[in-house]
Amino acid sequence: MLDVVVVDSLVKRYGPVTALAGVSLAIRRGEFIALLGPSGCGKTTLLRAVAGFVEPTSGEIRINGRPMQGVPPNLRPVNTVFQQFALFPHMTASENIAFGPRRQRLAPAQIHGRVQDALAMVGLEGLGARYPRELSGGQQQRVALARAIVNRPEVLLLDEPLGALDLKLRKRMQVELKRLHQQLGMTFLFVTHDQQEALAMADRIAVMREGAIVQLGSGAEIYRNPATRYVADFIGEANLITCRVDASGAVQITPNGPGSPYRAPAKGARQVSLMVRPESVRLGGAAGTDQVALRAKLKDKVFVGSTYRLYLVFADGQEIAAEPGCSSEVDELAPGDMVWVHWHKDAARVLED
Amino acid sequence: MRTDARPVEQGGEGMRLTSANAAFLMLGPIAFFVLFFLAPFGLLVAESFMRPDGGVTLGNYVSVLSDGYYWNALINTLLISLWVTVVAFLLGYPLAYFIVFHVLRPWGRRLIYVLLMTPLFTSNIVRAFGWIVILGRRGIVNATLLAVGLIDRPLDILYGKLSIVIGLAYILLPIMVLSICSVLQTVDRSLIEAARDLGARPSRAFVAVTFPLSLPGVVAGSIIVFALSVSAYVIPSILSGGREMVTPILIFQQYAATFRPDIGATLSVVLLAVTLLLIGSYLILFERRLRAVG
């Protein structure tokens, strides 16, 4: 059996508020899956339902094929890394880590060995005797991780575990988490609102909105082929150009622009969004029939380190951003200039609103 | 631009509390403390070393400490106070736990706090007489037990250690509850969830996490309750019926009945010293744990 966790049309209502509106998700053994969405999208509720802290209104969660209905958190084969670490302040790092193994009534020597292993795994050898308040934020984060993985859970649940760390440390912990995941071969279910974090770490990303999963796939898949305008906007940076659809179903990019190669996906749609990533937009006129070329006015030019970022305005007032890379042509541009931009027709996606 | 050329902000300077200002502001409280607390206490200590004719002596301490009667009263006082503390804790902790973890509506919690506080607005004397009505030979407790047939003669509950403990625990319970509540409220719920997540049953999560983290409230509450029980006068004198002697009653008698202020002062100092010693060792006992908690 490949799926370690199966979430089957899970619904959770708090009075009139629906936190989860029928979520289904199958998590493969050993994969690193991220639940991504803004606050209030239900991602934490879903995680807590798997952990056993939220009783679903309807639907089912199975872990290793076993229904979890009515199984309390302490009897579920999962462990959680909490958002603010939730380390026991009255216990040392070692005692924190030993908490789980002690509940399993392992022999003291065995517990000691496991704690030492876990400390080594997160790079905290020799700091076991310290209390949480004597450790830095990053070290506390590692203790929280060690405390969870020491129990060898079927699934490790991570509730925005890097949210409390500063940016630099967060990037480093991302790499370490990924390494730990590969080393342990454990299944990771990771909750985050940070798309960069999800892209950097997860094998698959479930993008959530208003209690439902709107798209599930690898980071590259979702980035290249977002299912909706919402996903495109949430993952990476996207230009979303609002376009008319004419009677024949052809998409018109700008009111008086040339005919475009795009067609509306559904019949009867009057308006769609065309999604183009800034890095796909190039300067210059069309070089072939597989290119889409448009005229625009340069509004602003910002140096962002590796490249320039151009803000362009079309005749109808819609703005797009472009990162065409460095060239002498870009260097010479000044706000107010009229320019041609183009992109490969496959670089853009038609999305329904 | 030179940053040090900026004019000093007037408002910022004025808002700062200089030590001279602070000293001036503290003058009132310090004067009050010295005049009405430190000075009388000094006089009391001085009195305890004085002979009736005015000379300095250790004789008062010798006679107090060598007299079994005084010792009995002191041990009685401490024993009663200990029981009061234990009873207040045993009743107060579950109540505080219930308020903090099971009363979720803010107004419900407020209502319970008000109900808890209301008895404090009534005189202790009135409430002590209330217990006489309840615990007396023909009181509610005995009447009920007799009616049910559990006993065939009224029990002697009133006028003994038991009634004093009941009366004091009843009066001091709110203090214990509020003290525990204030700390229990601050216990991070995610810590309890973490314990459950790591395989602890609810009872184990309580023993290993919730209770240890609420310890500062328990310690503070029990010290206040113990100290107030040791110095209680009204409740013991009404509910002892003259059959039990506690040190505060004894001290009062030295001043009001036997006119031996020197012995009264000596007893006060001894009671204070013993109480401080006990509270000190109690704190030392918990010090390591308390430091770890916060």
Side-chain angles (χ1 to χ4, degrees):
Chain A
M1 193 180 53
L2 219 58
D3 293 334
V4 57
V5 177
V6 174
V7 178
D8 191 1
S9 21
L10 205 68
V11 174
K12 177 64 190 177
R13 288 197 197 90
Y14 294 101
V17 182
T18 302
L20 293 174
V23 173
S24 295
L25 177 68
I27 301 171
R28 297 170 197 144
R29 184 173 300 283
E31 86 172 324
F32 194 138
I33 191 160
L35 300 176
L36 175 65
S39 64
C41 72
K43 57 192 193 299
T44 297
T45 308
L46 179 54
L47 187 93
R48 290 171 58 79
V50 176
F53 294 120
V54 168
E55 193 68 31
T57 309
S58 70
E60 194 179 57
I61 293 170
R62 291 187 296 276
I63 300 177
N64 280 338
R66 197 161 70 97
M68 286 290 123
Q69 180 67 34
V71 178
N74 51 313
L75 298 178
R76 297 194 180 199
V78 298
N79 286 111
T80 308
V81 177
F82 289 85
Q83 197 165 10
Q84 301 294 331
F85 315 143
L87 297 176
F88 306 125
H90 56 304
M91 298 182 199
T92 63
S94 289
E95 285 166 353
N96 264 284
I97 298 168
F99 193 92
R102 279 196 183 132
R103 301 288 84 75
Q104 293 170 31
R105 305 195 181 284
L106 300 179
Q110 207 178 351
I111 293 174
H112 181 77
R114 278 220 198 175
V115 170
Q116 293 309 315
D117 288 350
L119 279 169
M121 193 105 63
V122 296
L124 286 180
E125 298 99 328
L127 295 182
R130 298 238 184 127
Y131 282 95
R133 79 195 118 82
E134 296 166 338
L135 297 167
S136 70
Q139 289 168 332
Q140 289 181 25
Q141 165 71 80
R142 286 156 206 264
V143 175
L145 256 172
R147 185 176 71 172
I149 61 174
V150 75
N151 305 293
R152 298 168 191 172
E154 289 290 340
V155 186
L156 185 69
L157 308 173
L158 303 111
D159 185 8
E160 306 223 11
L162 309 181
L165 305 177
D166 63 57
L167 186 67
K168 219 170 169 181
L169 199 54
R170 203 151 68 213
K171 299 259 178 194
R172 213 171 72 209
M173 284 306 291
Q174 285 176 11
V175 178
E176 277 192 46
L177 263 179
K178 188 81 190 142
R179 175 187 62 80
L180 208 60
H181 173 250
Q182 276 154 2
Q183 211 175 318
L184 293 167
M186 210 178 261
T187 311
F188 279 30
L189 179 58
F190 186 94
V191 160
T192 182
H193 64 268
D194 182 343
Q195 48 101 8
Q196 183 274 330
E197 207 164 272
L199 287 172
M201 289 192 287
D203 300 324
R204 284 199 301 163
I205 299 171
V207 184
M208 291 188 70
R209 181 192 193 182
E210 287 165 7
I213 294 175
V214 286
Q215 192 170 7
L216 175 67
S218 75
E221 252 169 63
I222 293 177
Y223 186 84
R224 279 194 217 113
N225 215 344
T228 66
R229 192 186 158 107
Y230 170 82
V231 176
D233 203 22
F234 202 79
I235 305 264
E237 271 187 278
N239 293 305
L240 293 160
I241 307 166
T242 306
C243 304
R244 283 260 163 71
V245 181
D246 69 12
S248 70
V251 173
Q252 291 213 289
I253 300 175
T254 57
N256 305 312
S260 78
Y262 304 111
R263 297 196 62 79
K267 277 192 184 133
R270 305 294 307 277
Q271 190 178 298
V272 292
S273 293
L274 191 68
M275 192 274 303
V276 194
R277 300 286 181 194
E279 67 271 20
S280 306
V281 180
R282 313 237 169 269
L283 280 180
T289 51
D290 55 354
Q291 304 285 329
V292 177
L294 290 164
R295 192 113 173 103
K297 189 167 124 181
L298 182 66
K299 191 184 166 205
D300 233 329
K301 186 172 103 172
V302 179
F303 185 58
V304 290
S306 54
T307 177
Y308 277 105
R309 195 178 171 80
L310 308 177
Y311 294 94
L312 302 152
V313 193
F314 291 128
D316 66 347
Q318 294 205 64
E319 270 185 48
I320 65 163
E323 284 182 6
C326 279
S327 68
S328 54
E329 197 187 350
V330 176
D331 283 339
E332 284 160 19
L333 282 177
D337 291 353
M338 291 302 290
V339 292
W340 277 97
V341 292
H342 70 272
W343 57 80
H344 192 276
K345 69 178 172 52
D346 294 341
R349 289 277 177 285
V350 178
L351 303 171
E352 285 177 87
D353 282 356
Chain B
M1 194 178 102
R2 283 176 52 193
T3 49
D4 56 353
R6 263 185 322 169
V8 175
E9 272 178 63
Q10 293 293 316
E13 193 70 0
M15 289 305 287
R16 219 164 293 140
L17 202 58
T18 63
S19 53
N21 279 344
F24 179 73
L25 283 173
M26 287 301 290
L27 223 57
I30 290 172
F32 184 86
F33 182 75
V34 169
L35 236 93
F36 294 102
F37 189 80
L38 225 52
F41 183 69
L43 287 177
L44 190 81
V45 174
E47 180 94 70
S48 71
F49 287 105
M50 233 177 286
R51 268 203 304 260
D53 59 20
V56 176
T57 177
L58 279 174
N60 295 329
Y61 284 93
V62 173
S63 53
V64 163
L65 295 176
S66 62
D67 193 330
Y69 181 68
Y70 294 136
W71 276 110
N72 275 340
L74 183 64
I75 288 165
N76 223 7
T77 309
L78 297 175
L79 227 58
I80 286 171
S81 303
L82 185 71
W83 275 112
V84 170
T85 311
V86 169
V87 170
F89 165 71
L90 289 178
L91 294 177
Y93 199 96
L95 190 53
Y97 187 90
F98 175 79
I99 293 170
V100 170
F101 288 98
H102 294 283
V103 183
L104 302 173
R105 291 173 211 278
W107 59 262
R109 204 175 282 189
R110 244 168 267 150
L111 185 72
I112 292 183
Y113 283 141
V114 170
L115 286 176
L116 262 175
M117 300 289 282
T118 326
L120 296 179
F121 297 122
T122 326
S123 154
N124 278 357
I125 300 172
V126 175
R127 293 196 285 164
F129 279 111
W131 279 110
I132 292 180
V133 174
I134 295 170
L135 300 174
R137 288 183 71 81
R138 285 197 267 173
I140 296 163
V141 173
N142 274 321
T144 310
L145 289 175
L146 282 169
V148 173
L150 280 170
I151 50 173
D152 37 47
R153 269 183 305 135
L155 292 175
D156 236 358
I157 315 168
L158 195 59
Y159 303 137
K161 277 198 194 64
L162 182 61
S163 59
I164 298 175
V165 169
I166 291 173
L168 280 173
Y170 158 68
I171 281 166
L172 298 173
L173 184 65
I175 292 168
M176 181 67 98
V177 173
L178 293 177
S179 166
I180 295 172
C181 273
S182 68
V183 177
L184 211 50
Q185 265 166 8
T186 66
V187 172
D188 187 352
R189 305 297 166 94
S190 70
L191 296 179
I192 301 165
E193 283 190 349
R196 301 277 285 124
D197 186 75
L198 292 166
R201 277 175 282 120
S203 57
R204 174 43 60 178
F206 174 78
V207 171
V209 177
T210 316
F211 186 70
L213 292 177
S214 68
L215 219 52
V218 175
V219 169
S222 50
I223 286 176
I224 299 172
V225 167
F226 184 78
L228 288 175
S229 303
V230 164
S231 60
Y233 170 77
V234 171
I235 295 289
S237 51
I238 294 175
L239 292 177
S240 71
R243 288 196 224 163
E244 292 286 338
M245 185 49 74
V246 293
T247 310
I249 298 180
L250 211 53
I251 294 169
F252 180 76
Q253 285 175 351
Q254 300 306 313
Y255 284 97
T258 55
F259 302 108
R260 286 296 301 272
D262 50 342
I263 298 292
T266 310
L267 282 170
S268 300
V269 173
V270 169
L271 183 63
L272 181 71
V274 171
T275 309
L276 283 181
L277 202 73
L278 286 175
I279 290 176
S281 23
Y282 180 69
L283 278 177
I284 288 167
L285 192 73
F286 282 105
E287 205 229 20
R288 208 182 64 85
R289 277 162 168 265
L290 288 178
R291 215 173 12 170
V293 172

